[in-house]
Amino acid sequence: MRKLKINIVFGITVLLLGCMAKLPEIVATIVTEQTPHDTDDPAIWINPKDASKSIVFGTDKDTDGGIYAFDLKGKIIKNKSITNVKRPNNIDLEYGFKLNDSTKVDVIAFTERERHQIRLFSVPEMNPLDHGGFKVFTDVTEPEFNLPMGIALYKSSKTERLYAIVGRKAGPMEGYLYQYEIVSDSLGVHANFVRSFGAFSGKKEIEAIAVDNETGIVYYSDEKHCIRKYYAEPSMGDKEIYCFGGEYFKQDIEGIAIAKYEDKGFLIVSNQQSNTFNIFDLKTNVFIKEINLGTTETDGCDVTTESLGSAFPNGLFVSMNNDRNFYFHDLATLKLIE
């Protein structure tokens, strides 16, 4: 009996130590310069003329906030950065937005929480395309229901239409996300409301949103509940496809990045309070592994599998760190493909 008790105690001790063991850190290739206030979410723009001159944009979340542009050495590019932004939260990027019959531009879109709007700028010119901002959630009256946080751009492979899918600080149990079509006409660029969709557990908030343009699927973090999966294409309806992965997170489910190869895809999601990332199979939603990239309390992240020259020949993973900066990892170090 005494031997049995000793074995049980030993087994519990080993289990607890195993749970407490820290994963080995995958050291960042580059750590960026610091922003003035509070980093939150990045977006990677790939320069079509020279990938080694690509830019990483990152939000600096404050009343006196901004969008900071970084080169691949992690240095701030002042003339590509945007300041005097009232609490920018999340950012996303899309290529080839049609301004008119002959002009296409790459664009970044980001939320400006304290002005209750989203912003749209051309890249790399950094010209505003939004007449000062597009107001969102204009039909709500509840406190915090009109404070935009998360944003993802979706370019339909069926219609070439560009959409912004926007989350907020708080919202209803159904219809938490609003989707807007970004259109251009003789009077300029506009954001037209298309639909509200998306369930919410009510446990915390919905911020991180990412879209797979190829399949037309949107993923978002219901922070203390699960990763939710819907159709981004409005014509496919508002029914939830899956709610998965919540059991693999300590508390908050945060930033989402989609890494796609020719025959395989991955969902990389911040496990915020564990200071790690969980990786799932994009097609099956199956959990693959957890990794430690050295960041603390990560909110947003972004990824590209394309080579960015000699600095990041295997692609780039960017993640927010709680020390007012971003970490750049050569994508091969995450060992998605082994």
Side-chain angles (χ1 to χ4, degrees), residues 36-38 59-66 85-89 114:
H37 305 290
D38 181 19
T59 60
D60 185 43
K61 189 171 59 179
D62 189 81
T63 294
D64 182 29
V85 183
K86 297 297 183 183
R87 203 169 182 83
N89 212 115
E114 292 180 9

Side-chain angles (χ1 to χ4, degrees), residues 40-46 54-60 66-71 77 79-82 91-93 107-108 110 121-126 302 318 326 328:
D40 194 280
D41 189 47
I44 304 166
W45 175 70
I46 303 171
S54 297
I55 299 173
V56 175
F57 294 95
T59 60
D60 185 43
I67 307 300
Y68 285 85
F70 300 90
D71 63 24
I77 310 170
N79 67 348
K80 301 295 183 186
S81 298
I82 305 165
I91 187 170
D92 203 10
L93 184 144
V107 293
I108 55 168
F110 56 90
F121 284 73
S122 65
V123 177
E125 302 82 9
M126 310 312 298
D302 197 17
V318 180
F326 295 92
F328 294 0

